[in-house]
Amino acid sequence: MAISPPSDLVLDVLRAADPTDVQAAQAKLKASRSAFAANSLASSGKGFSAAVDLLDGSATKARMDHAERTSKSAEMPEEYRKFEASILQNFVNDMMPKDSEEIYGKGSAGEFWQSMMSEQIADQMSKNGGVGIAEQIYSQSLQRLRNEGTPNAVTDEDSRNRSLSMVDDFQRKVLDLAPAERAEA
């Protein structure tokens, strides 16, 4: 029987090692292998940022990048667009594949990367016009601001009584009624 000294030594060391230490070493090897794979993907142009750039490029290929935007979306504050993006992120995250451990990784780190991807997708969607949530909320807030200047025709009894007493006080001050006349009135 032939022996292979380097491999026999390695097996003897592994047999003598504590199983928890072996598992920790294996986990470190897997982590370094994952980090190497991520770095090699990023260096070859197939990483996370490349996937986000691909989203932007697909609109260009479909010639949607030259679509006319309405004047309302051009005037709309950024907060409304960000709000729509946060709502869209929930929808996109629910639509992402659930068995994507080989793409994003396992556990909470994989969930984190998947949520970042859905956030970027939703942000791109809202920048390219979205689904109309931001425009709807913006137009409603503009309408509410316009309506604040018009008086409300319906008043309750307390407001009516308060306004009448204010008118009476104003008339007394303007007409400078004497204290005796005030008591009669």
Side-chain angles (χ1 to χ4, degrees):
M1 157 160 91
I3 62 167
S4 175
S7 63
D8 287 341
L9 287 174
V10 171
L11 288 175
D12 287 340
V13 169
L14 278 175
R15 287 186 192 121
D18 184 26
T20 56
D21 291 339
V22 171
Q23 288 176 350
Q26 288 174 343
K28 285 181 182 179
L29 285 173
K30 286 180 183 177
S32 65
R33 184 173 45 183
S34 298
F36 174 75
N39 287 336
S40 64
L41 282 174
S43 65
S44 66
K46 297 179 182 175
F48 184 75
S49 62
V52 171
D53 292 341
L54 180 74
L55 290 172
D56 198 25
S58 62
T60 306
K61 288 178 186 174
R63 306 300 293 160
M64 292 176 61
D65 58 332
H66 299 294
E68 296 283 331
R69 292 193 178 171
T70 62
S71 61
K72 283 186 181 179
S73 64
E75 298 172 357
M76 187 179 356
E78 185 70 12
E79 293 82 19
Y80 292 96
R81 190 199 61 77
K82 287 181 180 179
F83 177 72
E84 182 176 20
S86 68
I87 291 173
L88 287 174
Q89 180 184 356
N90 292 329
F91 290 126
V92 170
N93 202 19
D94 287 341
M95 289 187 278
M96 296 288 263
K98 302 300 178 210
D99 57 343
S100 58
E101 291 177 350
E102 60 214 25
I103 298 170
Y104 301 109
K106 293 182 181 179
S108 60
E111 291 173 8
F112 178 74
W113 287 111
Q114 186 174 3
S115 70
M116 284 182 64
M117 182 62 136
S118 62
E119 178 183 355
Q120 290 298 316
I121 291 171
D123 194 47
Q124 286 295 323
M125 287 174 66
S126 69
K127 283 181 182 176
N128 290 331
V131 293
I133 297 171
E135 288 181 3
Q136 182 74 23
I137 293 173
Y138 182 60
S139 66
Q140 287 177 358
S141 65
L142 285 177
Q143 186 65 32
R144 187 176 56 241
L145 286 173
R146 287 183 194 123
N147 289 342
E148 282 182 0
T150 60
N152 189 358
V154 180
T155 57
D156 60 338
E157 193 63 31
D158 290 336
S159 297
R160 184 178 181 277
N161 290 338
R162 189 176 332 129
S163 63
L164 287 175
S165 68
M166 290 173 77
V167 168
D168 288 341
D169 287 342
F170 178 73
Q171 287 176 346
R172 285 186 189 123
K173 288 179 182 176
V174 169
L175 298 175
D176 195 29
L177 296 175
E181 293 175 358
R182 282 189 208 159
E184 295 175 5

